[in-house]
Amino acid sequence: GKWHMGVNCKTRHDHCHHPLNHGFDYFYGMPFTLVNECQGTDDPELAKSLQDTYWFYTQMIILAVFTLVIGKLANLFPVKWKIIICLAICGVLHFISWFSSYGFTKYWNCILMRNHDITEQPMNLQKTTSNMLKEAVTFIERNKHRPFLLFVSLLHVHTPLITTEKFQGRSRHGLYGDNVEEMDWMVGKLLDVIDKEDLKNATFIYFASDHGGFLEGHRGNSQLGGWNGIYKGGKGMGGWEGGIRVPGIVRWPGVLPAGTIINEPTSLMDIYPTVVQLAGGTVPQDRVVDGHTLLPLLRGTVQRSRHEFLFHYCGVFLHAVRWHQKDSGTIWKAHYATPVFQPEGSGACFRRGICPCFRDGVTHHDPPLLFNLSQDPSEANPLSADTEPLFDAVMRRIRRAVEEHRKTVTPVPQQLSPYNNIWKPWLQPCCGTFPFCWCQEENNKA
């Protein structure tokens, strides 16, 4: 499924970020993410402000060239042809930059790969769902006689909401609901294969989401990004519950009791140590591993999560800290920075499309906003020293935890730097002759 970690570092074929270079033995899916350009029906997502800038300057330069040409031919003012030609070349370059960022996005970014080979560029979204499902099913069938790890990262439910014709109109909740129903059907198909191959009692299955609903995802008055219920905020906001509190569903018949509900804070970082334990291994001891195995909690041998503190980042900026108080079970959360909603009070960053992590896009709080999530999960009523007798003690303990946490963080090159985010043609995966990247090998290799 969706890898979203990129492919290359220095050359078009070094595959340094590829799944096969990070422990996986087989890969089928998207190396990038799913964007509106892949579907071609919604407003473009990638570098939209850059596209607008290129287009504005292109129009201005074209207007200037026409004005100078007319003035030159009519002898209205003296200007050298060299200047006009140079300006025209600038206009052409700006037009190429605009068209490259707008016209070729679908062909450059919406691709499917099998291992190191590109099988579709651009991918056919009408067939992607069935292709992903077939790959996952055949993987289970190939490996049913030995231990395996199958990580399925679905393209559902992510904007654009690609939904096959069979599921369109099935839900009372619009296109988003249709997409959820199709995802549910896909998961059901995978579980059916596990059951059919008599692997049910030997297979640990964990289903979860990577974030809460994307509140800014709209088409007209239709909400495309889901709904977060009583929880404040959404995807990409660093700390509000609506963006980070998601359910996890586990199935392992014969080992884990059915119908159990565990109201303890865990993390997707826990998947790694859990899988390592299931495989009979041990996590590396030469570094800090932030996750903890879930098995004791799931089996009921412990009643409390090992996560006393969870640190919630937006990019490289620490926005919030959660303290799961061991003695009382109370869960506190302190917000050091929160996004500036646009419009004010809207609960999301509709004008920007997604909330930024720093500068004028956030409000810094000193003292931090403190909430008792055990009593106020909606984060509606910030506490103060006047309203909460434990305010100062809680803030001191959280402050000390942050200091201890920062000592364990190893500085690394900034992945989200401007240079790392600009498009680099020499790294572009391409099936064909760049920039004309196009192929449909899927039918030949399936």
Side-chain angles (χ1 to χ4, degrees), residues 379-438:
E379 297 174 287
N381 304 301
L383 304 171
S384 67
D386 296 330
T387 60
E388 174 54 64
L390 296 174
F391 182 88
D392 291 330
V394 170
M395 289 312 309
R396 279 197 303 272
R397 181 66 188 96
I398 290 177
R399 195 179 308 115
R400 193 163 76 249
V402 171
E403 291 170 0
E404 294 167 359
H405 163 69
R406 291 197 191 280
K407 293 175 185 175
T408 71
V409 177
T410 305
V412 296
Q414 172 56 278
Q415 294 184 47
L416 300 176
S417 66
Y419 176 76
N420 282 337
N421 273 275
I422 63 171
W423 177 62
K424 303 176 181 69
W426 58 92
L427 299 181
Q428 178 68 51
C430 184
C431 184
T433 303
F434 184 82
F436 305 105
C437 305
W438 185 90

Side-chain angles (χ1 to χ4, degrees), residues 267-287:
S267 165
L268 292 185
M269 294 185 294
D270 297 334
I271 294 175
Y272 169 58
T274 303
V275 167
V276 169
Q277 183 179 357
L278 287 167
T282 56
V283 297
Q285 301 299 306
D286 61 343
R287 70 203 70 177

Side-chain angles (χ1 to χ4, degrees), residues 97-379:
S97 299
W98 169 79
F99 190 77
S100 295
S101 63
Y102 183 84
F104 281 120
T105 295
K106 179 176 182 177
Y107 293 89
W108 289 339
N109 292 287
C110 306
I111 66 178
L112 279 178
M113 299 182 77
R114 180 181 282 106
N115 294 326
H116 290 145
D117 299 322
I118 297 173
T119 62
E120 284 190 358
Q121 189 171 15
M123 64 182 183
N124 182 343
L125 286 179
Q126 288 303 308
K127 295 181 179 178
T128 301
T129 298
S130 59
N131 286 341
M132 296 269 189
L133 191 55
K134 284 176 190 173
E135 287 286 333
V137 169
T138 55
F139 178 87
I140 295 170
E141 292 171 344
R142 284 200 310 272
N143 293 281
K144 62 185 177 183
H145 296 302
R146 60 179 182 176
F148 64 82
L149 169 67
L150 172 61
F151 174 35
V152 182
S153 185
L154 300 170
L155 301 186
H156 297 55
V157 287
H158 188 288
T159 55
L161 296 167
I162 52 167
T163 308
T164 58
E165 194 173 328
K166 175 183 173 184
F167 283 90
Q168 289 176 10
R170 288 269 293 262
S171 167
R172 292 177 298 169
H173 300 285
L175 187 56
Y176 184 87
D178 296 342
N179 211 245
V180 171
E181 293 216 7
E182 185 163 38
M183 177 189 67
D184 180 63
W185 171 80
M186 293 173 72
V187 173
K189 286 292 183 183
L190 292 176
L191 295 181
D192 288 345
V193 176
I194 294 288
D195 295 350
K196 187 188 81 170
E197 300 295 348
D198 199 25
L199 299 171
K200 181 164 67 173
N201 290 350
T203 306
F204 177 88
I205 297 170
Y206 185 27
F207 176 85
S209 175
D210 55 345
H211 53 68
F214 176 33
L215 300 182
E216 290 85 2
H218 274 80
R219 183 192 295 156
N221 293 323
S222 300
Q223 166 63 280
L224 299 179
W227 180 63
N228 297 318
I230 66 169
Y231 302 114
K232 191 171 185 176
K235 171 185 175 179
M237 295 189 191
W240 291 121
E241 289 293 277
I244 54 181
R245 183 190 284 235
V246 296
I249 305 174
V250 177
R251 188 184 89 152
W252 195 2
V255 179
L256 303 178
T260 304
I261 297 174
I262 299 173
N263 289 310
E264 289 287 300
T266 62
S267 165
L268 292 185
M269 294 185 294
D270 297 334
I271 294 175
Y272 169 58
T274 303
V275 167
V276 169
Q277 183 179 357
L278 287 167
T282 56
V283 297
Q285 301 299 306
D286 61 343
R287 70 203 70 177
V288 174
V289 176
D290 292 308
H292 302 292
T293 175
L294 294 170
L295 294 181
L297 198 59
L298 294 172
R299 284 173 167 152
T301 57
V302 301
Q303 302 304 312
R304 297 279 188 207
S305 165
R306 285 185 60 190
H307 288 287
E308 184 178 5
F309 292 94
L310 284 168
F311 304 91
H312 302 296
Y313 282 81
C314 187
V316 297
F317 303 97
L318 182 63
H319 274 209
V321 179
R322 180 187 312 257
W323 180 26
H324 186 209
Q325 202 169 349
K326 285 182 177 178
D327 50 359
S328 68
T330 303
I331 300 176
W332 307 91
K333 193 161 75 170
H335 287 264
Y336 292 92
T338 54
V340 176
F341 293 142
Q342 300 171 324
E344 187 178 351
S346 63
C349 301
F350 291 110
R351 289 180 194 151
R352 292 181 186 256
I354 194 165
C355 292
C357 298
F358 56 96
R359 295 200 183 109
D360 62 342
V362 300
T363 300
H364 294 277
H365 303 284
D366 188 14
L369 296 180
L370 181 67
F371 297 93
N372 182 341
L373 295 184
S374 305
Q375 299 176 357
D376 180 23
S378 300
E379 297 174 287

Side-chain angles (χ1 to χ4, degrees), residues 28-144:
Y28 178 82
M30 287 190 75
F32 309 130
T33 190
L34 190 63
V35 290
N36 288 344
E37 284 88 340
C38 295
Q39 194 171 37
T41 55
D42 294 320
D43 291 336
E45 268 184 282
L46 288 181
K48 189 174 188 313
S49 60
L50 195 63
Q51 293 168 19
D52 294 341
T53 302
Y54 278 140
W55 184 234
F56 174 76
Y57 284 123
T58 299
Q59 294 177 93
M60 292 299 100
I61 293 171
I62 290 172
L63 183 63
V65 169
F66 272 112
T67 303
L68 291 174
V69 169
I70 292 171
K72 175 78 172 175
L73 295 176
N75 291 319
L76 294 176
F77 40 79
V79 61
K80 293 181 179 179
W81 282 110
K82 281 184 180 179
I83 295 176
I84 296 176
I85 292 170
C86 287
L87 204 57
I89 291 171
C90 287
V92 170
L93 290 175
H94 270 85
F95 176 80
I96 291 172
S97 299
W98 169 79
F99 190 77
S100 295
S101 63
Y102 183 84
F104 281 120
T105 295
K106 179 176 182 177
Y107 293 89
W108 289 339
N109 292 287
C110 306
I111 66 178
L112 279 178
M113 299 182 77
R114 180 181 282 106
N115 294 326
H116 290 145
D117 299 322
I118 297 173
T119 62
E120 284 190 358
Q121 189 171 15
M123 64 182 183
N124 182 343
L125 286 179
Q126 288 303 308
K127 295 181 179 178
T128 301
T129 298
S130 59
N131 286 341
M132 296 269 189
L133 191 55
K134 284 176 190 173
E135 287 286 333
V137 169
T138 55
F139 178 87
I140 295 170
E141 292 171 344
R142 284 200 310 272
N143 293 281
K144 62 185 177 183

